[in-house]
Amino acid sequence: TNNNSVKEKEEENNINDSNNDNDMAAYNLAKLRFVDLTTTIEGEYVLENLFLHSPSATATATGGDDDDAPAYDAVVSDAVVKGAIAILQSLCIYGMQIGVKGSEEQQAKIVRHLFRPGDVSRKAPLFPKAQKAGATAGRNAERSSSDWADDWNSEEVRKLKYHRGTSLGKSLLAKLMRKRTAQGAFDLLHSLRAWSVHEDTALLRSGFPVRFSEEETEASERAEGEDRDP
């Protein structure tokens, strides 16, 4: 009996280690993917931390026991995680459009300053393989991973805001049976506590950075430690 208990404990530990590994793999994919999509670094952390959801965390959040939590697949598909990140990014872009009025042409002028030579036509869908009619948000997640950018930086954020790809965000709102409007996207992000009720969506739309990059922060810290004047 004791041997069986030890064996069961070892198996439980192995499962927990596997869950932690998958949690961290998903989290590492999401890390820094929401820079300039919220006005605060705390908002970025909220969206990144959505990818840390082990069964025990789910149970805690729902007030249930671990046995009540949904089964956690030991092998989490990178494609699904990447797609989920793209969906949340799209939701942020959709939420930024709150208060924006006018024709498509007028709305395009608002982000015209973000255009750079070499950008593809704005008429081209940002996530072409995720546009299939009737596709659910989960299926969209797998398809949109094909548009994944390995190096996420300010240039990728600029293109994301320039193209205003909102279809994935709309699919998520439909899946959750929420209003498929910019207000609906804003409200969902606020309920997640990623955005405040006074989130400056005009600043986010503008494409101007809302905080220093890690490289800029490190350079500033190095400069602060210099004893001599430049």
Side-chain angles (χ1 to χ4, degrees):
T1 303
N2 289 338
N3 288 338
N4 288 338
S5 297
V6 171
K7 184 176 181 181
E8 288 174 359
K9 189 65 177 178
E10 289 177 349
E11 290 177 350
E12 181 181 347
N13 289 336
N14 288 337
I15 291 172
N16 288 336
D17 289 342
S18 177
N19 288 346
N20 290 335
D21 289 344
N22 281 286
D23 279 352
M24 290 310 301
Y27 174 79
N28 287 332
L29 285 172
K31 190 170 177 59
L32 299 179
R33 293 275 164 169
F34 303 102
V35 172
D36 289 344
L37 298 182
T38 77
T39 55
T40 65
I41 194 168
E42 290 79 12
E44 292 178 32
Y45 292 159
V46 167
L47 294 175
E48 291 172 354
N49 289 343
L50 291 176
F51 295 86
L52 288 174
H53 55 89
S54 65
S56 58
T58 305
T60 301
T62 58
D65 300 325
D66 281 354
D67 292 339
D68 298 328
Y72 190 88
D73 191 344
V75 180
V76 178
S77 169
D78 275 1
V80 172
V81 174
K82 290 175 180 179
I85 292 169
I87 288 173
L88 284 175
Q89 289 174 332
S90 176
L91 183 72
C92 290
I93 295 299
Y94 196 20
M96 291 175 202
Q97 310 312 311
I98 191 169
V100 177
K101 298 180 180 179
S103 65
E104 175 63 24
E105 183 178 355
Q106 290 172 321
Q107 292 182 35
K109 289 181 180 179
I110 297 175
V111 293
R112 187 166 56 187
H113 65 285
L114 296 176
F115 175 81
R116 299 291 183 275
D119 285 344
V120 297
S121 169
R122 296 195 68 259
K123 295 181 180 179
L126 183 59
F127 301 109
K129 295 184 180 180
Q131 305 282 339
K132 186 176 180 181
T136 65
R139 290 166 63 191
N140 275 341
E142 295 187 37
R143 292 191 179 95
S144 61
S145 65
S146 63
D147 302 283
W148 182 261
D150 289 327
D151 297 321
W152 191 257
N153 50 40
S154 59
E155 179 67 6
E156 294 299 329
V157 176
R158 177 195 65 78
K159 289 190 288 187
L160 184 67
K161 293 183 178 183
Y162 171 67
H163 288 287
R164 293 182 296 131
T166 60
S167 63
L168 297 180
K170 291 178 181 178
S171 294
L172 176 61
L173 292 170
K175 182 72 172 177
L176 297 176
M177 292 185 290
R178 286 176 172 258
K179 291 183 178 179
R180 284 178 289 177
T181 62
Q183 182 68 59
F186 185 101
D187 290 344
L188 177 54
L189 289 163
H190 177 244
S191 67
L192 291 171
R193 299 186 179 182
W195 283 8
S196 76
V197 69
H198 301 297
E199 195 77 9
D200 192 341
T201 53
L203 174 61
L204 293 175
R205 277 197 311 271
S206 73
F208 295 112
V210 298
R211 72 174 179 86
F212 294 114
S213 67
E214 286 191 339
E215 293 79 7
E216 291 168 334
T217 300
E218 290 173 1
S220 174
E221 291 173 349
R222 286 196 302 270
E224 188 178 359
E226 292 285 344
D227 294 329
R228 63 183 180 82
D229 292 331

PDB file of all heavy atoms in Angstrom, residues 131-158:
ATOM      1  N   GLN A 131      -9.917  33.814 -41.810  1.00  0.00           N
ATOM      2  CA  GLN A 131     -11.097  34.569 -42.198  1.00  0.00           C
ATOM      3  C   GLN A 131     -12.254  33.693 -42.678  1.00  0.00           C
ATOM      4  O   GLN A 131     -13.271  34.207 -43.115  1.00  0.00           O
ATOM      5  CB  GLN A 131     -10.726  35.550 -43.327  1.00  0.00           C
ATOM      6  CG  GLN A 131      -9.579  36.484 -42.994  1.00  0.00           C
ATOM      7  CD  GLN A 131     -10.013  37.630 -42.114  1.00  0.00           C
ATOM      8  OE1 GLN A 131     -11.178  37.943 -42.071  1.00  0.00           O
ATOM      9  NE2 GLN A 131      -9.085  38.242 -41.427  1.00  0.00           N
ATOM     10  N   LYS A 132     -12.073  32.374 -42.651  1.00  0.00           N
ATOM     11  CA  LYS A 132     -13.108  31.495 -43.173  1.00  0.00           C
ATOM     12  C   LYS A 132     -14.433  31.709 -42.448  1.00  0.00           C
ATOM     13  O   LYS A 132     -14.491  31.707 -41.223  1.00  0.00           O
ATOM     14  CB  LYS A 132     -12.667  30.036 -43.036  1.00  0.00           C
ATOM     15  CG  LYS A 132     -13.638  29.060 -43.691  1.00  0.00           C
ATOM     16  CD  LYS A 132     -13.098  27.642 -43.608  1.00  0.00           C
ATOM     17  CE  LYS A 132     -14.055  26.650 -44.266  1.00  0.00           C
ATOM     18  NZ  LYS A 132     -13.558  25.274 -44.173  1.00  0.00           N
ATOM     19  N   ALA A 133     -15.490  31.899 -43.225  1.00  0.00           N
ATOM     20  CA  ALA A 133     -16.796  32.181 -42.628  1.00  0.00           C
ATOM     21  C   ALA A 133     -17.242  31.038 -41.737  1.00  0.00           C
ATOM     22  O   ALA A 133     -17.100  29.866 -42.067  1.00  0.00           O
ATOM     23  CB  ALA A 133     -17.827  32.401 -43.733  1.00  0.00           C
ATOM     24  N   GLY A 134     -17.765  31.416 -40.580  1.00  0.00           N
ATOM     25  CA  GLY A 134     -18.311  30.421 -39.659  1.00  0.00           C
ATOM     26  C   GLY A 134     -17.278  29.746 -38.789  1.00  0.00           C
ATOM     27  O   GLY A 134     -17.626  28.903 -37.970  1.00  0.00           O
ATOM     28  N   ALA A 135     -16.006  30.100 -38.948  1.00  0.00           N
ATOM     29  CA  ALA A 135     -14.978  29.468 -38.122  1.00  0.00           C
ATOM     30  C   ALA A 135     -15.089  29.955 -36.693  1.00  0.00           C
ATOM     31  O   ALA A 135     -15.360  31.110 -36.444  1.00  0.00           O
ATOM     32  CB  ALA A 135     -13.577  29.808 -38.679  1.00  0.00           C
ATOM     33  N   THR A 136     -14.882  29.064 -35.743  1.00  0.00           N
ATOM     34  CA  THR A 136     -14.946  29.451 -34.337  1.00  0.00           C
ATOM     35  C   THR A 136     -13.635  30.089 -33.935  1.00  0.00           C
ATOM     36  O   THR A 136     -12.632  29.989 -34.639  1.00  0.00           O
ATOM     37  CB  THR A 136     -15.178  28.213 -33.454  1.00  0.00           C
ATOM     38  OG1 THR A 136     -14.035  27.355 -33.564  1.00  0.00           O
ATOM     39  CG2 THR A 136     -16.438  27.476 -33.857  1.00  0.00           C
ATOM     40  N   ALA A 137     -13.636  30.732 -32.767  1.00  0.00           N
ATOM     41  CA  ALA A 137     -12.410  31.377 -32.296  1.00  0.00           C
ATOM     42  C   ALA A 137     -11.304  30.357 -32.112  1.00  0.00           C
ATOM     43  O   ALA A 137     -10.142  30.635 -32.392  1.00  0.00           O
ATOM     44  CB  ALA A 137     -12.677  32.102 -30.979  1.00  0.00           C
ATOM     45  N   GLY A 138     -11.638  29.144 -31.650  1.00  0.00           N
ATOM     46  CA  GLY A 138     -10.622  28.124 -31.451  1.00  0.00           C
ATOM     47  C   GLY A 138      -9.987  27.696 -32.753  1.00  0.00           C
ATOM     48  O   GLY A 138      -8.779  27.544 -32.859  1.00  0.00           O
ATOM     49  N   ARG A 139     -10.814  27.520 -33.793  1.00  0.00           N
ATOM     50  CA  ARG A 139     -10.284  27.132 -35.096  1.00  0.00           C
ATOM     51  C   ARG A 139      -9.510  28.284 -35.692  1.00  0.00           C
ATOM     52  O   ARG A 139      -8.498  28.091 -36.363  1.00  0.00           O
ATOM     53  CB  ARG A 139     -11.429  26.709 -36.016  1.00  0.00           C
ATOM     54  CG  ARG A 139     -12.068  25.381 -35.593  1.00  0.00           C
ATOM     55  CD  ARG A 139     -13.382  25.161 -36.298  1.00  0.00           C
ATOM     56  NE  ARG A 139     -13.206  25.056 -37.728  1.00  0.00           N
ATOM     57  CZ  ARG A 139     -14.222  25.078 -38.592  1.00  0.00           C
ATOM     58  NH1 ARG A 139     -15.455  25.206 -38.141  1.00  0.00           N
ATOM     59  NH2 ARG A 139     -14.002  24.970 -39.882  1.00  0.00           N
ATOM     60  N   ASN A 140      -9.955  29.498 -35.470  1.00  0.00           N
ATOM     61  CA  ASN A 140      -9.208  30.662 -35.931  1.00  0.00           C
ATOM     62  C   ASN A 140      -7.829  30.687 -35.303  1.00  0.00           C
ATOM     63  O   ASN A 140      -6.847  31.067 -35.937  1.00  0.00           O
ATOM     64  CB  ASN A 140      -9.938  31.959 -35.554  1.00  0.00           C
ATOM     65  CG  ASN A 140     -11.003  32.338 -36.571  1.00  0.00           C
ATOM     66  OD1 ASN A 140     -10.971  31.864 -37.691  1.00  0.00           O
ATOM     67  ND2 ASN A 140     -11.930  33.176 -36.169  1.00  0.00           N
ATOM     68  N   ALA A 141      -7.757  30.284 -34.031  1.00  0.00           N
ATOM     69  CA  ALA A 141      -6.489  30.313 -33.320  1.00  0.00           C
ATOM     70  C   ALA A 141      -5.454  29.461 -34.027  1.00  0.00           C
ATOM     71  O   ALA A 141      -4.303  29.859 -34.175  1.00  0.00           O
ATOM     72  CB  ALA A 141      -6.680  29.823 -31.879  1.00  0.00           C
ATOM     73  N   GLU A 142      -5.856  28.278 -34.475  1.00  0.00           N
ATOM     74  CA  GLU A 142      -4.909  27.398 -35.141  1.00  0.00           C
ATOM     75  C   GLU A 142      -4.482  27.973 -36.487  1.00  0.00           C
ATOM     76  O   GLU A 142      -3.328  27.885 -36.880  1.00  0.00           O
ATOM     77  CB  GLU A 142      -5.532  26.018 -35.323  1.00  0.00           C
ATOM     78  CG  GLU A 142      -5.814  25.308 -34.001  1.00  0.00           C
ATOM     79  CD  GLU A 142      -6.263  23.884 -34.207  1.00  0.00           C
ATOM     80  OE1 GLU A 142      -5.747  23.232 -35.123  1.00  0.00           O
ATOM     81  OE2 GLU A 142      -7.136  23.430 -33.465  1.00  0.00           O
ATOM     82  N   ARG A 143      -5.426  28.593 -37.202  1.00  0.00           N
ATOM     83  CA  ARG A 143      -5.095  29.121 -38.519  1.00  0.00           C
ATOM     84  C   ARG A 143      -4.216  30.363 -38.426  1.00  0.00           C
ATOM     85  O   ARG A 143      -3.283  30.534 -39.185  1.00  0.00           O
ATOM     86  CB  ARG A 143      -6.385  29.454 -39.279  1.00  0.00           C
ATOM     87  CG  ARG A 143      -7.204  28.231 -39.651  1.00  0.00           C
ATOM     88  CD  ARG A 143      -8.310  28.600 -40.618  1.00  0.00           C
ATOM     89  NE  ARG A 143      -9.070  27.417 -40.993  1.00  0.00           N
ATOM     90  CZ  ARG A 143     -10.180  27.033 -40.398  1.00  0.00           C
ATOM     91  NH1 ARG A 143     -10.659  27.749 -39.393  1.00  0.00           N
ATOM     92  NH2 ARG A 143     -10.821  25.959 -40.783  1.00  0.00           N
ATOM     93  N   SER A 144      -4.515  31.255 -37.485  1.00  0.00           N
ATOM     94  CA  SER A 144      -3.805  32.519 -37.435  1.00  0.00           C
ATOM     95  C   SER A 144      -2.353  32.355 -37.018  1.00  0.00           C
ATOM     96  O   SER A 144      -1.555  33.262 -37.188  1.00  0.00           O
ATOM     97  CB  SER A 144      -4.501  33.487 -36.479  1.00  0.00           C
ATOM     98  OG  SER A 144      -4.534  32.963 -35.175  1.00  0.00           O
ATOM     99  N   SER A 145      -1.991  31.192 -36.462  1.00  0.00           N
ATOM    100  CA  SER A 145      -0.612  30.975 -36.062  1.00  0.00           C
ATOM    101  C   SER A 145       0.325  30.974 -37.263  1.00  0.00           C
ATOM    102  O   SER A 145       1.525  31.176 -37.116  1.00  0.00           O
ATOM    103  CB  SER A 145      -0.482  29.647 -35.307  1.00  0.00           C
ATOM    104  OG  SER A 145      -0.780  28.558 -36.161  1.00  0.00           O
ATOM    105  N   SER A 146      -0.216  30.777 -38.475  1.00  0.00           N
ATOM    106  CA  SER A 146       0.630  30.782 -39.667  1.00  0.00           C
ATOM    107  C   SER A 146       1.166  32.176 -39.952  1.00  0.00           C
ATOM    108  O   SER A 146       2.111  32.334 -40.718  1.00  0.00           O
ATOM    109  CB  SER A 146      -0.158  30.273 -40.879  1.00  0.00           C
ATOM    110  OG  SER A 146      -1.242  31.133 -41.164  1.00  0.00           O
ATOM    111  N   ASP A 147       0.568  33.211 -39.337  1.00  0.00           N
ATOM    112  CA  ASP A 147       1.017  34.579 -39.537  1.00  0.00           C
ATOM    113  C   ASP A 147       1.937  35.033 -38.412  1.00  0.00           C
ATOM    114  O   ASP A 147       2.192  36.214 -38.259  1.00  0.00           O
ATOM    115  CB  ASP A 147      -0.200  35.512 -39.604  1.00  0.00           C
ATOM    116  CG  ASP A 147      -1.157  35.109 -40.714  1.00  0.00           C
ATOM    117  OD1 ASP A 147      -0.863  35.400 -41.867  1.00  0.00           O
ATOM    118  OD2 ASP A 147      -2.192  34.478 -40.402  1.00  0.00           O
ATOM    119  N   TRP A 148       2.436  34.102 -37.640  1.00  0.00           N
ATOM    120  CA  TRP A 148       3.239  34.408 -36.459  1.00  0.00           C
ATOM    121  C   TRP A 148       4.557  35.055 -36.841  1.00  0.00           C
ATOM    122  O   TRP A 148       5.254  34.616 -37.745  1.00  0.00           O
ATOM    123  CB  TRP A 148       3.493  33.119 -35.700  1.00  0.00           C
ATOM    124  CG  TRP A 148       4.269  33.262 -34.431  1.00  0.00           C
ATOM    125  CD1 TRP A 148       5.599  33.023 -34.263  1.00  0.00           C
ATOM    126  CD2 TRP A 148       3.764  33.661 -33.155  1.00  0.00           C
ATOM    127  NE1 TRP A 148       5.942  33.238 -32.955  1.00  0.00           N
ATOM    128  CE2 TRP A 148       4.844  33.637 -32.262  1.00  0.00           C
ATOM    129  CE3 TRP A 148       2.500  34.039 -32.699  1.00  0.00           C
ATOM    130  CZ2 TRP A 148       4.691  33.980 -30.914  1.00  0.00           C
ATOM    131  CZ3 TRP A 148       2.355  34.378 -31.371  1.00  0.00           C
ATOM    132  CH2 TRP A 148       3.449  34.345 -30.495  1.00  0.00           C
ATOM    133  N   ALA A 149       4.904  36.143 -36.125  1.00  0.00           N
ATOM    134  CA  ALA A 149       6.195  36.802 -36.306  1.00  0.00           C
ATOM    135  C   ALA A 149       7.100  36.380 -35.165  1.00  0.00           C
ATOM    136  O   ALA A 149       6.792  36.614 -33.995  1.00  0.00           O
ATOM    137  CB  ALA A 149       6.016  38.315 -36.314  1.00  0.00           C
ATOM    138  N   ASP A 150       8.210  35.719 -35.477  1.00  0.00           N
ATOM    139  CA  ASP A 150       9.104  35.224 -34.432  1.00  0.00           C
ATOM    140  C   ASP A 150       9.709  36.367 -33.625  1.00  0.00           C
ATOM    141  O   ASP A 150       9.880  36.262 -32.413  1.00  0.00           O
ATOM    142  CB  ASP A 150      10.221  34.383 -35.047  1.00  0.00           C
ATOM    143  CG  ASP A 150       9.706  33.044 -35.557  1.00  0.00           C
ATOM    144  OD1 ASP A 150       8.756  32.510 -34.937  1.00  0.00           O
ATOM    145  OD2 ASP A 150      10.226  32.556 -36.567  1.00  0.00           O
ATOM    146  N   ASP A 151      10.055  37.446 -34.292  1.00  0.00           N
ATOM    147  CA  ASP A 151      10.639  38.608 -33.616  1.00  0.00           C
ATOM    148  C   ASP A 151       9.586  39.696 -33.488  1.00  0.00           C
ATOM    149  O   ASP A 151       9.294  40.404 -34.454  1.00  0.00           O
ATOM    150  CB  ASP A 151      11.853  39.123 -34.396  1.00  0.00           C
ATOM    151  CG  ASP A 151      12.977  38.109 -34.457  1.00  0.00           C
ATOM    152  OD1 ASP A 151      13.202  37.426 -33.444  1.00  0.00           O
ATOM    153  OD2 ASP A 151      13.612  37.982 -35.516  1.00  0.00           O
ATOM    154  N   TRP A 152       9.000  39.822 -32.300  1.00  0.00           N
ATOM    155  CA  TRP A 152       7.963  40.823 -32.074  1.00  0.00           C
ATOM    156  C   TRP A 152       8.619  42.101 -31.580  1.00  0.00           C
ATOM    157  O   TRP A 152       9.334  42.107 -30.594  1.00  0.00           O
ATOM    158  CB  TRP A 152       6.947  40.317 -31.058  1.00  0.00           C
ATOM    159  CG  TRP A 152       5.736  41.188 -30.987  1.00  0.00           C
ATOM    160  CD1 TRP A 152       5.432  42.112 -30.033  1.00  0.00           C
ATOM    161  CD2 TRP A 152       4.667  41.225 -31.927  1.00  0.00           C
ATOM    162  NE1 TRP A 152       4.241  42.724 -30.318  1.00  0.00           N
ATOM    163  CE2 TRP A 152       3.746  42.197 -31.477  1.00  0.00           C
ATOM    164  CE3 TRP A 152       4.395  40.533 -33.105  1.00  0.00           C
ATOM    165  CZ2 TRP A 152       2.571  42.496 -32.157  1.00  0.00           C
ATOM    166  CZ3 TRP A 152       3.228  40.831 -33.783  1.00  0.00           C
ATOM    167  CH2 TRP A 152       2.335  41.791 -33.320  1.00  0.00           C
ATOM    168  N   ASN A 153       8.387  43.178 -32.287  1.00  0.00           N
ATOM    169  CA  ASN A 153       9.023  44.444 -31.939  1.00  0.00           C
ATOM    170  C   ASN A 153       8.092  45.599 -32.297  1.00  0.00           C
ATOM    171  O   ASN A 153       6.946  45.391 -32.701  1.00  0.00           O
ATOM    172  CB  ASN A 153      10.369  44.572 -32.674  1.00  0.00           C
ATOM    173  CG  ASN A 153      10.230  44.277 -34.165  1.00  0.00           C
ATOM    174  OD1 ASN A 153       9.251  44.672 -34.798  1.00  0.00           O
ATOM    175  ND2 ASN A 153      11.197  43.563 -34.721  1.00  0.00           N
ATOM    176  N   SER A 154       8.593  46.820 -32.168  1.00  0.00           N
ATOM    177  CA  SER A 154       7.773  48.004 -32.426  1.00  0.00           C
ATOM    178  C   SER A 154       7.291  48.051 -33.873  1.00  0.00           C
ATOM    179  O   SER A 154       6.208  48.581 -34.152  1.00  0.00           O
ATOM    180  CB  SER A 154       8.560  49.273 -32.101  1.00  0.00           C
ATOM    181  OG  SER A 154       9.751  49.346 -32.878  1.00  0.00           O
ATOM    182  N   GLU A 155       8.065  47.488 -34.781  1.00  0.00           N
ATOM    183  CA  GLU A 155       7.665  47.468 -36.188  1.00  0.00           C
ATOM    184  C   GLU A 155       6.445  46.575 -36.392  1.00  0.00           C
ATOM    185  O   GLU A 155       5.530  46.908 -37.157  1.00  0.00           O
ATOM    186  CB  GLU A 155       8.836  46.983 -37.050  1.00  0.00           C
ATOM    187  CG  GLU A 155       8.534  46.890 -38.535  1.00  0.00           C
ATOM    188  CD  GLU A 155       8.295  48.242 -39.204  1.00  0.00           C
ATOM    189  OE1 GLU A 155       8.479  49.270 -38.534  1.00  0.00           O
ATOM    190  OE2 GLU A 155       7.919  48.257 -40.390  1.00  0.00           O
ATOM    191  N   GLU A 156       6.415  45.439 -35.697  1.00  0.00           N
ATOM    192  CA  GLU A 156       5.264  44.544 -35.794  1.00  0.00           C
ATOM    193  C   GLU A 156       4.029  45.188 -35.168  1.00  0.00           C
ATOM    194  O   GLU A 156       2.915  45.038 -35.682  1.00  0.00           O
ATOM    195  CB  GLU A 156       5.574  43.211 -35.102  1.00  0.00           C
ATOM    196  CG  GLU A 156       6.666  42.394 -35.768  1.00  0.00           C
ATOM    197  CD  GLU A 156       6.325  42.005 -37.201  1.00  0.00           C
ATOM    198  OE1 GLU A 156       5.129  41.817 -37.502  1.00  0.00           O
ATOM    199  OE2 GLU A 156       7.254  41.903 -38.006  1.00  0.00           O
ATOM    200  N   VAL A 157       4.213  45.910 -34.076  1.00  0.00           N
ATOM    201  CA  VAL A 157       3.094  46.617 -33.440  1.00  0.00           C
ATOM    202  C   VAL A 157       2.546  47.676 -34.387  1.00  0.00           C
ATOM    203  O   VAL A 157       1.329  47.844 -34.521  1.00  0.00           O
ATOM    204  CB  VAL A 157       3.533  47.258 -32.106  1.00  0.00           C
ATOM    205  CG1 VAL A 157       2.384  48.074 -31.503  1.00  0.00           C
ATOM    206  CG2 VAL A 157       3.979  46.191 -31.112  1.00  0.00           C
ATOM    207  N   ARG A 158       3.463  48.394 -35.054  1.00  0.00           N
ATOM    208  CA  ARG A 158       3.041  49.429 -36.010  1.00  0.00           C
ATOM    209  C   ARG A 158       2.179  48.827 -37.109  1.00  0.00           C
ATOM    210  O   ARG A 158       1.098  49.353 -37.427  1.00  0.00           O
ATOM    211  CB  ARG A 158       4.267  50.117 -36.632  1.00  0.00           C
ATOM    212  CG  ARG A 158       3.910  51.163 -37.691  1.00  0.00           C
ATOM    213  CD  ARG A 158       5.107  51.555 -38.525  1.00  0.00           C
ATOM    214  NE  ARG A 158       5.612  50.453 -39.337  1.00  0.00           N
ATOM    215  CZ  ARG A 158       5.053  50.039 -40.470  1.00  0.00           C
ATOM    216  NH1 ARG A 158       3.937  50.605 -40.914  1.00  0.00           N
ATOM    217  NH2 ARG A 158       5.574  49.043 -41.151  1.00  0.00           N
TER     218      ARG A 158
END
